Amino acid sequence: MPTTTFHSLRTSTRPPRNRAITLLAVGHACVDVYQGAVAALVPFFVAERAYTYATASGIVLAASLLSSVAQPLFGALTDRKPLPWLLPVSTLVGGLGIALSGLGGSYALTLLFVAVSGIGVAAYHPESARIARVASRGGHTAMSWFSLGGNLGFAFSPALVALVVGFGGLTMSPLLLLPALAGSVLCLPALRIVQRGQEATSAAAHPTQTLTSAADDRRSFLRLTLGVICRSVAFTGLSTFISFHMAQSTGWGPAAGTAALVVLYLGGAVGTVLGGRLAERRDRVTVVRRSYLLTVLAVAGVVLVPGPLGYLFVALASAGLYVPFSLQVTLAQDYLPHRVGTAGGITLGLTVSVGGIAAPAIGLLADATSLRTALIPLIAMPALSWLAFRGLPEPAAAIGPPSEEAESP
């Protein structure tokens, strides 16, 4: 793209781009409410339907497994042709599945509805990551704000579930559809803003690709993906069982568990913004690698330190696991500059979905031994992520230098 054209895009679309990032972040929050809601609903399924740890974690698996498989497929689809309409539609599907999950009298129906929600979430992330990267013009902090929206949705979901289901029981779950309705409406003006920006510069269908001639680095992308998977196992394991663990560790009952989930998700929100800021000062690979190394100690504190002090380690572990969150997305897109939809779908979605595959194994081990014993293997996960990122190169950005205006919504 000629320099004059690129400069005119940056100067003519600064305010709209800020609005787009803000709206996309809010929409991301409305979608990721339903990822957090799966773990938040597990204690209520256990209480009302007498599920075991293993059976309850199977619900997490239902949402995660289909989402893990579907997200790369949706990513490949959006690499062929942009599908912005997926954002409002997938938001509604994600919310509808969770809203119906409390009404299914049988375990099979519950799994089905949660799986439907997982497919909706899977369809949302690849295209939203592509659109957010276009709107941010490669700004690390801008992308961290977009990711922050999802993390806030995670953080809000336990409180939302407790408010709706805690007081009214699982039969009140249809009220959980409200964030999806709001998110599907709010993403529409963001899509119009991004579309106008693309039309103003006569950009190709995937403008990020017009700014780079770099080849795809599949080897580095594969190593990054392995690190993301290990990170996903650690976070999903904690989010699924932390409420039970902290309730047992403190002796304060279910309220302690809900508080632990809120701390876990809010810590992630702080870590996401911190990661974007740190990446403006150091290269992304270094920030990610050091964060994972420090997170090993934090996860060990969560599992091994008893009592209220555990909340501090929950916050530190969550922040450490989320510092790499948005950075991994932009790294993946820069490793695969010609397949940004696939890269975004695997990293942005896989980080919160594939870890669910390990949840039933943790549940089985907890049933056979104790919950604390079952959580000990999670300490190794950030260490494995650190190993995966060792020696990874810092890729050239697939998108031109960000404008100052794009750094925050």
Side-chain angles (χ1 to χ4, degrees), residues 163-176:
L163 178 65
V164 173
V165 181
F167 287 99
L170 289 171
T171 57
M172 299 297 291
S173 64
L175 290 177
L176 297 175

Side-chain angles (χ1 to χ4, degrees), residues 213-219 221 333-340:
S213 59
D216 291 341
D217 185 352
R218 297 182 181 180
R219 182 175 181 179
F221 177 77
Q333 291 173 329
D334 290 342
Y335 286 139
L336 298 183
H338 303 287
R339 293 177 174 83
V340 293

Side-chain angles (χ1 to χ4, degrees), residues 25 36 63 122 173 183 203 206 285 316 385-386 394 400 409:
S173 64
H206 288 74
V285 173
L316 293 175
S385 295
W386 173 76
E394 176 72 20

Side-chain angles (χ1 to χ4, degrees), residues 34-63:
Y34 300 109
Q35 299 212 55
V38 176
L41 283 168
V42 165
F44 295 99
F45 287 129
V46 171
E48 292 192 26
R49 299 177 181 175
Y51 292 161
T52 64
Y53 285 136
T55 303
S57 59
I59 297 172
V60 180
L61 175 63

Side-chain angles (χ1 to χ4, degrees), residues 258-340:
T258 300
L261 275 176
V262 173
V263 170
L264 184 76
Y265 296 152
L266 287 177
V270 173
T272 300
V273 175
L274 180 61
R277 297 294 183 185
L278 291 174
E280 301 296 342
R281 295 167 172 79
R282 299 294 300 254
D283 67 90
R284 290 168 291 177
V285 173
T286 298
V287 172
V288 171
R289 191 173 62 244
R290 291 179 178 178
S291 176
Y292 280 135
L293 189 59
L294 293 174
T295 304
V296 175
L297 298 176
V299 175
V302 172
V303 177
L304 302 176
V305 176
L309 187 59
Y311 286 105
L312 172 62
F313 288 107
V314 169
L316 293 175
S318 179
L321 288 170
Y322 266 95
V323 163
F325 191 81
S326 65
L327 306 184
Q328 290 170 159
V329 178
T330 58
L331 280 169
Q333 291 173 329
D334 290 342
Y335 286 139
L336 298 183
H338 303 287
R339 293 177 174 83
V340 293

Side-chain angles (χ1 to χ4, degrees), residues 213-258:
S213 59
D216 291 341
D217 185 352
R218 297 182 181 180
R219 182 175 181 179
S220 293
F221 177 77
L222 177 60
R223 289 182 57 189
L224 178 145
T225 301
L226 292 175
V228 168
I229 290 173
C230 293
R231 178 253 177 226
S232 174
V233 171
F235 186 81
T236 306
L238 288 175
S239 64
T240 303
F241 296 104
I242 194 65
S243 58
F244 299 111
H245 174 67
M246 290 305 297
Q248 295 175 5
S249 178
T250 61
W252 295 344
T258 300

